Amino acid sequence: MVYWYYTVQKMSINAKTPSLTDAQQEAVEHKNGPLLVLAGPGSGKTTVVTRRIANVIASGVPPWQILALTFTNKAAQEMRNRVFTLLEQDSLHMQGLTVSTFHAFCARVLRDWGERVIGTKTFTIYDTADQRTTVKAAIKSCELNDSNWRPASVLAAISNAKNKLIDVDTFEKEAFDFYTKSIAKIYRAYDDILRSNDAVDFDDLLLQTARLLERDAEVRQHLEDRYQYVMIDEYQDTNHAQFVIANKIAANHRNICVVGDPDQSVYAWRGADISNILDFEEHYGEGTVIPLGRNFRSTGHIVKVAATLIEHNKQRKEKKLYTELEDGYEPIIVSLESEHEEAESIIREVTRLQNEGVLLKEMAVLYRVNALSRVLEDTFRKAGIPHVVARGTAFYDRKEIKQVISYLRLLVNPKDDVAFVRVINMPTRGIGSTSISKLEQLAISHGMSLLGASSIVSKEQGFTTRAVTSMKKFSETFRQWQIDGRSEESLTAASSLADLVERVVRESGLEEFYSTASGEDDLERLQNLEELVSAATEFEEGFEAEHEDLPPPTPLHLLFSFLENVALVSDADVIDPENGAVTLMTLHASKGLEFDFIVIAGLEEGLLPHERARHDDSQMEEERRLCYVGITRARKHLFLTHARRRTQRGVSNRTMQSRFIQEMSGVALTKDTVIEPWDVPDIVPEECGDQRVTVGSLVRHKRFGLGKVQRVIRRPRGSTVTIQFRGGVKHLVLEYAKLEIVSPDNSVEF
């Protein structure tokens, strides 16, 4: 350990710094004993933390005795810079001060004493890519199939165990069924590989440091003596391992200050333990609690809406949220008929505010799941409004979407070897790089494409039995897709572009691959695949409307056009540095940010709150906290939207209003539509020519053939009809469907 020694002198803090509220001042001046600062959104918590560090140093405490921990390098650097400014840029009084992320601090500790827990101080830290490679090797060494045991899901399970300080031995002892015993086996193999390579992963940094502090009294005493003041930012996001580390270091002097807000705890899915902050007073009975309820960011109406919503949670600590800013503009809630109308209403509001002088870079659209971004991206692009997908990937650039697109490219162009290589082993089919190299040589020798060559492989050519079986099955699947896609008969059978895309998603194995996963990312990938089917449906409808005078195209013809359209999608809008671009992002990604104008889209049951929270009160509270975080990102304007119908897998389904809207009702919410949002329309007959279409009617469509009417719904913008054709269910606008009535009742068998 490095120590810095100098003569400590009391000094004053830069007088030019902003004044503090009484609550902030109390937190800054609190020096000794446990302190919990309940910092509401926009309450100036970073100001409090940095002022407190500077104040402790100014009171005569050597900076090397202070440990300040946060979660990102950016936050740590900002904290250091602010303290430097507060100390009037006196670098001497910064020497030895530790302001760091948890992981960086733990790495530093293990560099000093790592041999006591992992046998070395010269370890390598494996990044995400290294971890994935290692867990794949571990799965293989356990003679398990990585198509069934997905590396990402296995790593998530191992990470969750490490964050709870469950090492390999403990995990093995507690394993009780096939799944947990298999994970234990992989965990053991994964850990063995790390040890043999003198390597640790990010979770090991926390796990091994916590173990070191629990088991080694000498090291614990050393760190207790060194760091007599411990400060932790975003305490609501700490996991069990981080709690143990902080608690052990502060156990003796008990000068621990934690800053956070249980109402903004939204990372339980990646190990955050809200009980750390909720139970702070139980751990430190003599502790002081100071609530910072004044919001310096948002106007009165926005604060009121946020406070009203979060009061419905039970897992929280009471604090009065208020602001001394003017009430400002009333938040608006709009009820739209579909996700497209939703996107268009957002565009109108963006345009209106831009005309009033609000910069695009001060606007953000938030959503619960990434799949919702597709329609938003398309609508912004068509409107010519610059936009960026923050901390995420544009829809057509997402991994799972590119995988399907590669399948579709190969379908229309069997000679596309680049697409072939990308998908031949995705999902895993037991076709490794050696088999692909042999296949490339075979293709060259026969003057064929890789797809063509895959149909003639054999064991005699040096391929394994598994590779031969997998390649021939792969080739046959594509052959069948091509036949069905080109067939004229397919027009009356399974015959839409969406049907073809959905079939590729399903029969390629991608749907099953992502549906069997349990991680948050994997579930979102599955939702994105469903959204791609919806995108195909919309493209086909638009194509038909544009080319209604031409004969109906085959699905393969439509697919050519669809892929061309996708290839031409570009985010190369010229972005004015001053005006910037509208930010599209998930609610999770928005945490810690703020904008003048915030949109929260998709306020529907199953989206926000998410479907998985339906039967879990704890998860439901986290969903409410997530909505609360989104609301409190807004400074001046808040725009909440929900769609009465939303398309999933190409089928338009009625939605249910988010319960959060009702919970916010009665405060400053304005309805922007005369449509009563949740009046379920009656199923009624509708005129079609001079005949009545009713449920049970047998009808003929010029493209889809014969079908039976399942329901007819009167809608504000035109009636719709749901029809069961032989090729599947279709939802059509009655005005444009041009249906021929074969039998007006249920008298003809279908």
Coordinates of all heavy atoms in Angstrom, one line a residue, residues 4-13 31 53-64 66 87-88 90 92-95:
W4 N 0.5 8.6 1.7 CA 1.0 9.9 1.5 C 1.0 10.6 2.9 O 0.0 10.7 3.6 CB 0.1 10.7 0.5 CG 0.1 10.0 -0.8 CD1 -0.8 9.1 -1.2 CD2 1.0 10.3 -1.9 NE1 -0.5 8.7 -2.5 CE2 0.6 9.5 -3.0 CE3 2.1 11.2 -2.1 CZ2 1.2 9.4 -4.2 CZ3 2.7 11.1 -3.3 CH2 2.3 10.3 -4.4
Y5 N 2.1 11.2 3.3 CA 2.2 11.9 4.5 C 2.5 13.4 4.4 O 3.4 13.7 3.5 CB 3.2 11.2 5.4 CG 2.9 9.8 5.8 CD1 3.5 8.8 5.1 CD2 2.1 9.6 6.9 CE1 3.2 7.5 5.4 CE2 1.8 8.2 7.2 CZ 2.4 7.2 6.5 OH 2.1 5.9 6.9
Y6 N 1.9 14.2 5.1 CA 2.2 15.6 5.1 C 1.5 16.2 6.3 O 0.7 15.6 7.0 CB 1.7 16.3 3.8 CG 0.2 16.3 3.6 CD1 -0.6 17.3 4.1 CD2 -0.3 15.3 2.9 CE1 -1.9 17.3 3.9 CE2 -1.7 15.3 2.7 CZ -2.5 16.3 3.2 OH -3.8 16.3 3.0
T7 N 1.9 17.4 6.6 CA 1.3 18.1 7.8 C -0.1 18.5 7.5 O -0.3 19.3 6.5 CB 2.2 19.3 8.2 OG1 3.5 18.9 8.4 CG2 1.6 20.0 9.4
V8 N -1.0 18.0 8.3 CA -2.4 18.4 8.1 C -2.7 19.7 8.7 O -2.5 20.0 9.8 CB -3.3 17.3 8.7 CG1 -4.8 17.7 8.5 CG2 -3.0 15.9 8.1
Q9 N -3.3 20.5 7.8 CA -3.8 21.9 8.3 C -5.2 22.1 7.9 O -5.7 21.7 6.8 CB -2.9 23.0 7.6 CG -1.4 22.9 8.0 CD -0.7 24.0 7.4 OE1 -1.1 24.7 6.4 NE2 0.6 24.3 7.8
K10 N -6.0 22.7 8.8 CA -7.3 23.0 8.5 C -7.4 24.1 7.4 O -6.5 24.9 7.4 CB -8.1 23.4 9.7 CG -8.3 22.3 10.7 CD -9.3 22.8 11.8 CE -9.5 21.6 12.8 NZ -10.5 22.0 13.9
M11 N -8.3 23.9 6.5 CA -8.4 24.9 5.4 C -9.9 25.1 5.2 O -10.8 24.5 5.7 CB -7.8 24.3 4.2 CG -8.3 23.0 3.7 SD -7.6 22.4 2.2 CE -8.1 23.6 1.1
S12 N -10.2 26.1 4.4 CA -11.6 26.5 4.1 C -12.0 26.0 2.6 O -11.1 25.9 1.8 CB -11.8 28.0 4.2 OG -11.0 28.7 3.3
I13 N -13.3 25.8 2.4 CA -13.7 25.4 1.1 C -14.0 26.6 0.3 O -14.3 27.7 0.8 CB -15.1 24.6 1.3 CG1 -14.8 23.3 2.1 CG2 -15.7 24.3 -0.1 CD1 -16.0 22.5 2.4
K31 N -19.9 14.6 10.4 CA -18.6 14.1 10.3 C -18.5 12.7 10.7 O -18.0 11.8 10.0 CB -17.6 15.0 11.0 CG -16.1 14.6 10.8 CD -15.2 15.6 11.5 CE -13.7 15.1 11.3 NZ -12.8 16.1 12.0
I53 N -16.9 15.4 1.2 CA -15.5 15.0 1.2 C -14.6 16.2 1.4 O -13.7 16.1 2.2 CB -15.2 14.3 -0.2 CG1 -16.0 13.0 -0.4 CG2 -13.7 14.1 -0.4 CD1 -15.9 12.4 -1.8
A54 N -14.9 17.3 0.7 CA -14.1 18.4 0.9 C -14.1 19.0 2.3 O -13.1 19.4 2.8 CB -14.5 19.5 -0.1
N55 N -15.3 18.9 2.9 CA -15.5 19.4 4.2 C -14.7 18.6 5.3 O -14.1 19.1 6.2 CB -17.0 19.4 4.6 CG -17.3 20.2 5.9 OD1 -17.2 21.4 5.9 ND2 -17.7 19.5 6.9
V56 N -14.7 17.3 5.1 CA -14.0 16.4 6.0 C -12.5 16.7 5.9 O -11.8 16.8 6.9 CB -14.3 14.9 5.7 CG1 -13.3 14.0 6.5 CG2 -15.7 14.6 6.0
I57 N -12.0 16.8 4.6 CA -10.6 17.2 4.4 C -10.3 18.5 5.0 O -9.2 18.7 5.7 CB -10.2 17.2 2.9 CG1 -10.3 15.7 2.4 CG2 -8.8 17.7 2.7 CD1 -10.2 15.6 0.9
A58 N -11.1 19.5 4.8 CA -10.9 20.9 5.3 C -10.9 20.9 6.8 O -10.3 21.8 7.4 CB -12.0 21.8 4.8
S59 N -11.6 19.9 7.5 CA -11.6 19.9 8.9 C -10.3 19.3 9.5 O -10.2 19.3 10.8 CB -12.8 19.1 9.4 OG -12.6 17.7 9.1
G60 N -9.4 18.8 8.7 CA -8.1 18.3 9.2 C -7.9 16.8 9.0 O -6.9 16.3 9.4
V61 N -8.9 16.1 8.4 CA -8.7 14.7 8.2 C -7.8 14.5 7.0 O -8.1 15.0 5.9 CB -10.1 14.0 8.0 CG1 -9.9 12.5 7.6 CG2 -10.9 14.1 9.2
P62 N -6.7 13.7 7.1 CA -5.9 13.4 5.9 C -6.7 12.7 4.8 O -7.5 11.9 5.1 CB -4.8 12.4 6.5 CG -4.9 12.6 8.0 CD -6.3 13.0 8.3
P63 N -6.5 13.2 3.6 CA -7.2 12.6 2.5 C -7.1 11.1 2.3 O -8.0 10.5 1.8 CB -6.8 13.4 1.2 CG -5.5 14.0 1.7 CD -5.5 14.2 3.1
W64 N -5.9 10.6 2.7 CA -5.7 9.1 2.5 C -6.6 8.3 3.4 O -6.7 7.1 3.2 CB -4.2 8.8 2.7 CG -3.7 9.0 4.1 CD1 -3.9 8.2 5.2 CD2 -2.9 10.1 4.5 NE1 -3.3 8.8 6.3 CE2 -2.6 9.9 5.9 CE3 -2.3 11.2 3.9 CZ2 -1.9 10.8 6.7 CZ3 -1.5 12.1 4.6 CH2 -1.3 11.9 6.0
I66 N -9.8 8.7 3.5 CA -11.1 8.8 2.9 C -11.2 7.8 1.7 O -10.4 7.8 0.8 CB -11.4 10.2 2.5 CG1 -11.4 11.2 3.7 CG2 -12.8 10.3 1.8 CD1 -11.5 12.6 3.3
L87 N -11.6 22.4 -3.2 CA -10.3 22.7 -2.4 C -9.5 23.7 -3.1 O -8.3 23.8 -2.8 CB -9.6 21.4 -2.2 CG -10.3 20.3 -1.4 CD1 -9.5 19.0 -1.3 CD2 -10.6 20.8 0.0
E88 N -10.1 24.5 -3.9 CA -9.4 25.6 -4.6 C -8.2 25.1 -5.4 O -7.1 25.7 -5.4 CB -9.0 26.7 -3.7 CG -10.2 27.3 -3.0 CD -9.9 28.5 -2.1 OE1 -8.9 28.3 -1.3 OE2 -10.6 29.5 -2.1
D90 N -6.2 22.7 -5.0 CA -5.0 22.4 -4.2 C -4.7 20.9 -4.2 O -5.3 20.1 -3.5 CB -5.2 22.9 -2.7 CG -3.9 22.8 -1.9 OD1 -3.0 22.0 -2.3 OD2 -3.9 23.4 -0.8
L92 N -2.2 19.2 -3.3 CA -1.6 18.7 -2.1 C -2.7 18.1 -1.2 O -2.5 17.0 -0.6 CB -0.8 19.8 -1.3 CG -0.2 19.3 0.0 CD1 0.9 18.3 -0.2 CD2 0.4 20.6 0.7
H93 N -3.8 18.8 -1.1 CA -4.8 18.3 -0.2 C -5.7 17.2 -0.9 O -6.7 16.7 -0.3 CB -5.7 19.4 0.2 CG -5.1 20.3 1.2 ND1 -4.3 21.3 0.9 CD2 -5.1 20.3 2.6 CE1 -3.8 21.9 2.0 NE2 -4.4 21.3 3.1
M94 N -5.3 16.7 -2.1 CA -6.0 15.6 -2.7 C -5.1 14.4 -2.6 O -5.6 13.3 -2.9 CB -6.2 16.0 -4.2 CG -7.3 17.0 -4.4 SD -9.0 16.4 -4.3 CE -9.0 15.4 -5.8
Q95 N -3.9 14.5 -2.3 CA -3.0 13.4 -2.3 C -3.4 12.2 -1.4 O -3.7 12.4 -0.2 CB -1.5 13.8 -1.9 CG -0.9 14.6 -3.0 CD 0.5 15.0 -2.6 OE1 0.9 15.0 -1.5 NE2 1.3 15.4 -3.6

